[in-house]
Amino acid sequence: MISEPKTPVPARGLHTLGEVMLDEPLRELLEFARATCGGPAAWRQRKLVEVRELLALAQLSGRLRLQWLDVAVDLRAVIEMRVPVPCLPKPDGALEIAPLAVLGVIYRQEVLVSPQPGFSFVQILAPGPVWSASVSGDHRQLLCLGTSLPVGIPLKEILLLTYGALTMQTVQLDPRDSAGVMNPAAAQWWTCANNLKKIPLSRAPFVVSSEAKL
Amino acid sequence: MPEHAPIIEVQPPRRAGGNVASPSAAARLPAFIAGPADAAAKLGALKVLTIGVGSVGGRVVLHLARLGLASLWLIDPKRFKAESILTHDIDPRSVGKFKAQVTARRCKAISPATRVFAGRVRVEDLPVDAFADADLVVLATDNLAAEIEVGRRCVRFGKPLVQAAVHGDTLTVQVRVFGNADQQSPCPACGFGEGEWRMLNDQVRFSCDGSGAALVQGALPTMSVSSLCSLAADLAVNQVLRVALALGESVLDTCLEYCGYTNRSVSSRLVRNARCPAEHARWRIAPEIKFLSACSPADLSRVAGFDPASASTAFAVEGFNWVESGMCRCALPQAVRCFVPEARQRAGRCSQCRSSIRVQPIFEHQVVSAALLGAAAGQPLANLGAAAARCVWLSNGDESVLFRAPHDQRLP
Ligand SMILES: [Zn+2]
Ligand SMILES: [Zn+2]
């Protein structure tokens, strides 16, 4: 179970995630990352900064729980995110909203020097089948966060974009526009007036605090 | 270069009136002051890889063909457009055709003795060892992502890089020569300012159909006049000669800038930017291994001089991904633990439910750590699904080693 946030959000918002004091279990995770981190020195350093911010974000938001972490080559993590996830188990059936997504997140070294495809970071491992314009309809359930994500985009921003896309606070539904639409049938479905009024699935901010400035 | 690369060797043209005698490249070669006595032989042994054969690179390779080089590789994924006539040295009948192929044929016609290869690919899609056998690389593109990639590959294999560029508005030509003597040498990205990084973000777009990296390049065309492109090419070839024949003072790690408004040229030193985010890693190339797939990752690790017990050694097999596990109809993920050809989305069948095991990106690794390989590191690559392994590279921290199986299509 994901706990409620305990640590107050730093006054200067999420820019200062690095200053958050991590609680004990998360500190251990950071130590584990430090001990197993591989690759060239600059990339190792960067991965540890990203992991630290990820752990701080998990602690602050109460929305994230790290299931698995591998920093030997890329930064890979399986993360539970408390977020409403639209699912359509039967094509003609009713929409179901799952309360939690299990995300497979890959943050590669290439991000340091070249813009990356928006669908190359996040895969939805569960639940399925997700019914969203920005999630591919195949078994991989790739989440598209845009046509291209800028060089050096931090992992915390990937997670905030993921939250925005799944809650449909940020959504692109024009099936004729390839930018951001991974599942044209779902995009079409959501544009029907009856379904459109369900958007967004939640208006809650990622970090439940009035102090959080993104 | 490997056989699977979409790169073809150009054959000499058949002429209706029989073959015209090809002149020896040495017939007009001057006696360069303080140059080597065997300049023609040195040029005749030179292998040059050119990335971008447009308005500048297209002219560079024609000049290089006239020097009678051993091999020329022309890499450019684009076709000539109608507007290309305005800036490129081309026949209008070439419009619509691939730049690399058309230009390669012209090079071959000029120098039938030169082995000329044309690749209609992006530099990012070239085999990992594509630069290993070149003596020198020429870069002539406005594509910043390609610049970074070329710089990275040249640093890896210690190849001198000559980069030519024009800025039409200011009538300026720049020719940079990167020596790549070691990891502390500058690379093209070392010179990037905020503007270049912003432009890079604007230049690259991907289609969101999830099919893969369907890339849409938003790079603007070169705004220049033909003569300025020609001048850039001429100055670049002059620098190639200076490097290849060690003519005059070293031009390695310098930038030559000519301004058409002032008619002045300035040469300045290129320096390594300590904050450059591009990888500056030098790779060692291990001696060829005849039966590469008979070796295990642990064998290769030992040959590379890495501690075989180190969990942080990372392995990559060109054309394959390590698949740790996948999903079938059973509730739990199925272990796969072998190399699977890239882009294949299935990895065998589940022994219980008989359905195919589908690859999940999160458990699919282009580069796999020894920690993840575990006991499999002791198995020959052939037993791990990579019987067709042609190229394997290992890294540990800042050190990398490339292993290659022999093949016949490598840069000769
Ligand atoms: Zn650099
Ligand atoms: Zn099964």
Side-chain angles (χ1 to χ4, degrees):
Chain A
M1 192 60 217
I2 291 173
S3 59
E4 286 304 316
K6 290 176 290 194
T7 317
V9 176
R12 280 176 290 149
L14 295 184
H15 300 297
T16 51
L17 274 180
E19 293 167 16
V20 174
M21 277 286 283
L22 295 177
D23 295 341
E24 189 51 46
L26 297 183
R27 268 212 303 273
E28 277 170 26
L29 270 170
L30 185 62
E31 277 318 305
F32 164 78
R34 218 169 255 141
T36 55
C37 200
W43 175 228
R44 284 201 306 271
Q45 243 168 34
R46 175 63 183 259
K47 277 191 285 188
L48 291 175
V49 169
E50 298 297 333
V51 168
R52 205 192 182 289
E53 290 200 337
L54 164 66
L55 297 173
L57 193 61
Q59 182 168 308
L60 289 183
S61 67
R63 283 197 189 277
L64 303 175
R65 194 173 73 90
L66 204 60
Q67 282 191 1
W68 173 77
L69 179 70
D70 180 355
V71 286
V73 180
D74 314 306
L75 192 174
R76 289 178 183 237
V78 173
I79 301 169
E80 279 175 30
M81 181 183 277
R82 204 174 63 192
V83 56
V85 190
C87 296
L88 199 65
K90 290 188 197 114
D92 301 323
L95 187 77
E96 292 176 10
I97 306 290
L100 198 81
V102 181
L103 311 171
V105 180
I106 310 177
Y107 191 75
R108 297 181 175 87
Q109 193 181 349
E110 289 91 298
V111 79
L112 302 186
V113 285
S114 58
Q116 298 296 309
F119 56 80
S120 64
F121 293 90
V122 179
Q123 179 194 4
I124 298 169
L125 298 170
V130 176
W131 191 241
S132 160
S134 49
V135 177
S136 69
D138 64 351
H139 71 278
R140 298 175 299 167
Q141 301 207 115
L142 302 175
L143 172 65
C144 187
L145 301 171
T147 47
S148 168
L149 298 187
V151 173
I153 185 169
L155 182 57
K156 66 182 173 199
E157 279 184 38
I158 303 284
L159 293 170
L160 295 175
L161 287 172
T162 299
Y163 181 76
L166 287 175
T167 53
M168 302 176 86
Q169 290 177 9
T170 54
V171 69
Q172 204 291 91
L173 293 175
D174 186 349
R176 292 161 304 176
D177 182 355
S178 71
V181 173
M182 293 287 274
N183 185 339
Q188 199 83 58
W189 187 95
W190 280 102
T191 44
C192 297
N194 241 353
N195 301 322
L196 203 54
K197 64 187 180 205
K198 297 179 179 133
I199 298 175
L201 299 177
S202 162
R203 288 183 195 279
F206 184 80
V207 178
V208 196
S209 161
S210 56
E211 283 178 303
K213 296 181 194 81
L214 303 185
Chain B
M1 292 237 188
E3 290 150 42
H4 61 77
I7 291 166
I8 48 154
E9 180 165 7
V10 174
Q11 298 309 316
R14 276 195 218 118
R15 290 198 179 87
N19 280 340
V20 178
S22 309
S24 152
R28 290 287 182 275
L29 202 66
F32 299 111
I33 294 172
D38 58 345
K42 278 204 158 71
L43 293 172
L46 196 68
K47 293 167 269 182
V48 175
L49 182 60
T50 302
I51 308 296
V53 286
S55 55
V56 177
R59 290 177 165 104
V60 168
V61 290
L62 293 174
H63 281 314
L64 294 179
R66 291 182 189 109
L67 294 171
L69 305 192
S71 307
L72 263 175
W73 293 76
L74 280 54
I75 307 298
D76 198 315
K78 290 193 245 160
R79 295 171 190 265
F80 291 115
K81 290 184 278 199
E83 293 78 11
S84 301
I85 297 168
L86 304 176
T87 49
H88 294 54
D89 179 4
I90 54 163
D91 185 307
R93 283 171 297 186
S94 300
V95 171
K97 295 181 180 157
F98 280 102
K99 294 181 178 185
Q101 258 167 322
V102 169
T103 317
R105 272 190 220 112
R106 287 182 69 191
C107 291
K108 188 72 184 175
I110 291 169
S111 179
T114 302
R115 290 192 69 180
V116 183
F117 299 83
R120 301 172 348 197
V121 285
R122 302 181 318 143
V123 62
E124 292 89 335
D125 298 327
L126 285 174
V128 68
D129 61 335
F131 285 38
D133 302 298
D135 297 313
L136 193 143
V137 178
V138 174
L139 169 63
T141 164
D142 285 342
N143 180 330
L144 295 170
E147 277 185 33
I148 296 175
E149 181 63 17
V150 169
R152 174 163 82 152
R153 288 177 182 240
C154 286
V155 174
R156 271 182 190 170
F157 298 114
K159 303 299 174 186
L161 167 64
V162 176
Q163 181 189 15
V166 293
H167 188 252
D169 299 358
T170 55
L171 285 179
T172 301
V173 167
Q174 280 188 339
V175 181
R176 296 183 183 85
V177 183
F178 300 92
N180 291 318
D182 57 41
Q183 284 156 286
Q184 290 315 309
S185 304
C187 83
C190 280
F192 281 17
E194 225 172 85
E196 278 86 3
W197 290 111
R198 206 177 318 115
M199 199 189 294
L200 173 64
N201 284 328
D202 293 342
Q203 277 185 358
V204 183
R205 286 287 175 272
F206 300 88
S207 157
C208 280
D209 58 6
S211 60
L215 188 78
V216 186
Q217 285 291 356
L220 293 169
T222 309
M223 300 304 279
S224 179
V225 287
S226 180
S227 55
L228 198 67
C229 300
S230 177
L231 183 59
D234 292 353
L235 291 174
V237 175
N238 194 62
Q239 299 296 60
V240 170
L241 277 171
R242 296 273 300 266
V243 174
L245 301 177
L247 300 179
E249 228 174 89
S250 169
V251 292
L252 299 180
D253 297 329
T254 65
C255 173
L256 169 66
E257 185 171 295
Y258 169 83
C259 174
Y261 275 105
T262 59
N263 276 331
R264 271 200 208 118
S265 65
V266 180
S267 181
S268 54
R269 283 219 76 75
L270 295 167
V271 285
R272 166 87 150 92
N273 174 356
R275 295 179 61 197
C276 174
E279 186 190 81
H280 284 246
R282 174 59 52 82
W283 287 17
R284 280 185 281 137
I285 302 178
E288 264 180 16
I289 294 184
K290 194 158 183 198
F291 300 106
L292 186 58
S293 63
C295 299
S296 69
D299 293 335
L300 298 176
S301 192
R302 270 187 290 273
V303 177
F306 296 151
D307 174 7
S310 166
S312 56
T313 302
F315 302 85
V317 182
E318 187 178 45
F320 292 87
N321 289 332
W322 174 261
V323 176
E324 185 60 20
S325 62
M327 293 302 289
C328 57
R329 287 210 199 97
C330 304
L332 291 171
Q334 293 295 317
V336 176
R337 295 192 47 76
C338 70
F339 289 100
V340 172
E342 254 172 22
R344 192 181 288 176
Q345 287 190 22
R346 282 161 211 279
R349 286 191 177 278
C350 169
S351 55
Q352 280 145 49
C353 71
R354 302 301 307 151
S355 69
S356 54
I357 300 176
R358 295 176 301 183
V359 174
Q360 303 268 55
I362 185 75
F363 302 120
E364 181 185 34
H365 305 256
Q366 206 172 46
V367 182
V368 58
S369 67
L372 204 58
L373 280 177
Q379 295 270 324
L381 290 171
N383 292 9
L384 297 174
R390 191 196 68 82
C391 222
V392 178
W393 63 106
L394 276 67
S395 313
N396 194 317
D398 290 300
E399 261 198 278
S400 297
V401 181
L402 177 76
F403 290 92
R404 302 194 284 180
H407 55 83
D408 48 13
Q409 262 210 322
R410 201 177 290 153
L411 207 62

